[in-house]
Amino acid sequence: MRVALVTGAGSGIGRAVARALAREGWTLALLGRREAALRETLPDALALPADVTDEAQVDAAFATLRRHFGRLDLLFNNAGIAAPPVAVDELTVAQWRAVVDTNLTGSFLCARAAFALMKAQSPRGGRIINNGSISAHAPRPFSAPYTSTKHAITGLTKSLSLDGRAHDIACGQIDIGNAATEMAAPMQQGVRQANGQIAVEPTMDVEDVARAVVYMASLPLSANVQSMTVMARDMPFVGRG
């Protein structure tokens, strides 16, 4: 039995990845704030209603997972939010903290709990895949909180990758650009570009992301995709403009 835990599994990328892993024979646990949405994703999966920003809730969810399955082979650290796209001087501290608490601290709390379980289980080891973003490489206008956290996720990924070696724990990062989910819906209406213009951007099927994560998860623990970028081919990321 291969056990995977997907955070933010009630919608979007998390839902698509959870379903793709289940089709490949993984046993799934789903973590998110809305239990009904988790059960809609996969009715037969272990639903773990929890807020990733809350240490006690995260630890309780992992304790429940351990009681049910006894081990964890894969964590897809996916839960994330963005702040309103406003100038940094118009951003409230509460908006900043909400993004940092979810995207960075939430990823840390889940990775910490997964790391401890993977170290102690027999056979030991496992894989952590962190959901970064192409914002981990270049920002959009008015995206300081989101971009800052995604740069920080890269540091977390590299640190976990290094520290995990002694315990057969692999850690990699997938940086996604314009997957067609609710979060990316504004891309199809027009979003601000670096030159100030508003332009519609191409998107890609979220199933393309799911297949990429399934590939990363399929490798033996002796191999690792340290970093992968999967994006809509024609989006304005590579090149000028």
Side-chain angles (χ1 to χ4, degrees):
M1 178 176 64
R2 299 177 300 168
V3 179
L5 171 61
V6 177
T7 72
S11 63
I13 290 169
R15 172 172 285 178
V17 168
R19 288 174 173 173
L21 288 167
R23 289 193 298 269
E24 293 297 315
W26 288 78
T27 297
L28 266 297
L30 310 178
L31 191 151
R33 290 177 294 180
R34 299 170 296 144
E35 183 173 359
L38 298 178
R39 298 198 181 281
E40 185 179 342
T41 295
L42 287 172
D44 296 331
L46 175 63
L48 299 170
D51 184 339
V52 296
T53 69
D54 187 302
E55 178 183 359
Q57 291 186 35
V58 169
D59 288 346
F62 274 81
T64 300
L65 181 148
R66 187 171 189 172
R67 285 196 302 271
H68 272 73
F69 300 127
R71 65 178 297 105
L72 177 64
D73 299 286
L74 172 67
L75 166 65
F76 181 42
N77 240 342
N78 168 70
I81 63 171
V86 298
V88 67
D89 58 304
E90 299 174 18
L91 195 73
T92 69
V93 174
Q95 289 169 329
W96 168 271
R97 284 179 173 157
V99 177
V100 172
D101 287 350
T102 301
N103 296 6
L104 181 56
T105 303
S107 293
F108 159 72
L109 289 173
C110 291
R112 181 182 69 162
F115 204 94
L117 179 51
M118 290 172 178
K119 280 175 62 176
Q121 65 195 13
S122 181
R124 73 176 187 180
R127 188 180 307 276
I128 298 170
I129 300 175
N130 290 327
N131 187 348
S133 169
I134 62 170
S135 292
H137 307 280
R140 288 186 178 279
F142 304 148
S143 69
Y146 186 81
T147 295
S148 297
T149 58
K150 293 306 182 177
H151 276 257
I153 286 294
T154 300
L156 178 65
T157 298
K158 290 180 178 179
S159 292
L160 293 172
S161 182
L162 178 59
D163 296 345
R165 290 176 182 173
H167 310 287
D168 297 324
I169 298 171
C171 184
Q173 178 169 324
I174 184 165
D175 296 326
I176 302 163
N178 287 11
T181 65
E182 183 178 342
M183 190 173 184
M187 307 302 168
Q188 298 171 323
Q189 305 299 319
V191 292
R192 188 176 300 276
Q193 304 297 305
N195 63 2
Q197 294 180 344
I198 304 297
V200 173
E201 292 190 12
T203 58
M204 64 175 174
D205 193 327
V206 70
E207 291 300 324
D208 297 329
V209 177
R211 283 195 294 272
V213 175
V214 167
Y215 166 69
M216 294 172 74
S218 72
L219 294 174
L221 293 180
S222 57
N224 189 38
V225 175
Q226 185 63 49
S227 176
M228 177 191 288
T229 299
V230 56
M231 54 179 269
R233 185 196 64 201
D234 296 336
M235 67 181 296
F237 175 61
V238 176
R240 298 173 182 264

